[in-house]
Amino acid sequence: MRKRSRRARTVLAVVTATVLATGCDAFGGGGPSKAGGSASASRSPARPAPVWNRSPDSIAAVGDSITRGFDACTVLTDCPAVSWATGSDARVDSLAVRLLGVTGAARHSWNYAETGARMSDLPRQVARAVTRSPQLVTVMAGANDACRSSVSAMTPVADFRADFQEALSTLRGSLPRTQVYVASVPNLKRLWSQGRTNPLGKQVWKLGICPSMLAGADDLTGAATARRERVQQRVEEYNRVLGEVCAKDRRCRFDGNAVYDYRFGTDQLSHWDWFHPSRDGQARLAEIAYRTVTTGRP
């Protein structure tokens, strides 16, 4: 009996040691399984928060006369109420109103754009915008870099790139998580081709609106055509810069040339200068911006 008992205790000890060594669970419970680990390990990892917030709660706009609603209400005058970015006009239904509602837009959107501004002015505008800590900054600039007194006076592409990069660096230095929507530079040649059909518009152009493109509106000689093509080429180069620089910032969205590609007609042009967007044109810009900001995957 004693030998048999000692033998039983020895067998039991060996079995116990084997179970502990192999991690086997006789009751099919909590130990690791051959099928791929514990129950907790098989759960899907938590998804990281999305980089892009499609519902920002505050907006600051920077840029040029288009964002100021220039010539949309009265001749040679800003009209920020109809701005595509931050305006309050119900017919425009601005990006701010679409995202924040009427009350929210009035309280939490700011327009720092300036008529006549070029890309070199953007870092200063952004520096003002960051004091509001907006969740979204809208950018529309570049038309005035092409709209100069002559083709030779247009902003060089390298300078344009450096100025845009500086503006983004200014933003990131203070607000690393703020999102940026970048609109492409409009197709200036199309605006010329549409506006030149109106005699009043051509008279206003003579006051100095975009002379590199609009001077001698009815001049179709080879020299004039070549001049307009050079301006158009520069606009396309600016848009490539905007897309390339924006693509390096995970919280920046470029419109993919949607503004450039939009076929503005006479209804979308100011009836004061037949070049800047009218209220209807501002509404189309707001639609493009809203679509770009709210899409799941641009």
Side-chain angles (χ1 to χ4, degrees):
M1 288 294 292
R2 289 178 181 176
K3 291 183 179 180
R4 190 175 300 169
S5 176
R6 283 199 297 270
R7 187 181 300 116
R9 287 198 296 271
T10 300
V11 172
L12 178 60
V14 171
V15 171
T16 301
T18 303
V19 170
L20 292 175
T22 60
C24 181
D25 187 344
F27 299 98
S33 68
K34 294 180 180 180
S38 67
S40 60
S42 66
R43 294 175 186 154
S44 299
R47 292 184 178 181
V51 171
W52 186 266
N53 174 15
R54 291 183 283 170
S55 301
D57 62 16
S58 55
I59 300 172
V62 297
D64 56 29
S65 57
I66 296 177
T67 302
R68 293 298 297 175
F70 183 79
D71 267 4
C73 301
T74 55
V75 65
L76 301 179
T77 304
D78 288 350
C79 188
V82 302
S83 168
W84 65 271
T86 60
S88 58
D89 191 298
R91 289 170 289 181
V92 173
D93 196 15
S94 71
L95 176 64
V97 170
R98 293 172 193 239
L99 291 174
L100 312 178
V102 175
T103 301
R107 294 178 178 175
H108 302 293
S109 68
W110 308 276
N111 193 326
Y112 293 106
E114 299 169 301
T115 292
R118 286 181 275 170
M119 187 57 74
S120 60
D121 296 304
L122 211 66
R124 175 176 51 80
Q125 293 181 9
V126 168
R128 295 179 63 198
V130 298
T131 63
R132 300 286 190 173
S133 297
Q135 288 194 358
L136 175 68
V137 171
T138 68
V139 175
M140 180 178 282
N144 288 321
D145 292 270
C147 284
R148 307 305 297 157
S149 58
S150 65
V151 168
S152 61
M154 293 189 297
T155 302
V157 175
D159 292 350
F160 186 88
R161 181 186 295 272
D163 292 334
F164 185 41
Q165 289 174 329
E166 181 183 350
L168 283 184
S169 295
T170 299
L171 177 67
R172 289 290 165 248
S174 299
L175 302 173
R177 299 180 65 84
T178 289
Q179 299 174 171
V180 184
Y181 161 74
V182 180
S184 50
V185 182
N187 186 328
L188 301 183
K189 188 176 180 182
R190 178 170 179 79
L191 298 181
W192 162 76
S193 68
Q194 291 293 304
R196 65 186 290 267
T197 62
N198 185 272
L200 174 61
K202 288 186 290 186
Q203 290 302 313
V204 176
W205 290 358
K206 293 178 181 179
L207 298 177
I209 295 179
C210 198
S212 57
M213 176 62 75
L214 303 182
D218 293 323
D219 185 353
L220 302 179
T221 62
T225 299
R227 166 173 55 85
R228 296 187 192 102
E229 286 299 329
R230 289 177 65 188
V231 175
Q232 188 72 352
Q233 180 182 357
R234 185 60 56 88
V235 168
E236 293 172 358
E237 291 170 340
Y238 289 162
N239 282 332
R240 279 196 291 273
V241 167
L242 294 175
E244 290 168 1
V245 174
C246 187
K248 296 177 182 179
D249 187 316
R250 63 203 299 256
R251 289 188 168 86
C252 183
R253 283 189 176 183
F254 179 56
D255 72 4
N257 281 339
V259 170
Y260 176 85
D261 291 337
Y262 184 79
R263 299 181 65 81
F264 285 91
T266 54
D267 287 343
Q268 286 81 50
L269 299 182
S270 163
H271 288 188
W272 296 105
D273 67 21
W274 298 87
F275 185 72
H276 286 87
S278 63
R279 276 186 174 87
D280 188 71
Q282 292 280 348
R284 304 291 80 76
L285 294 175
E287 288 175 357
I288 291 170
Y290 182 75
R291 184 166 62 247
T292 304
V293 170
T294 59
T295 188
R297 292 179 179 270

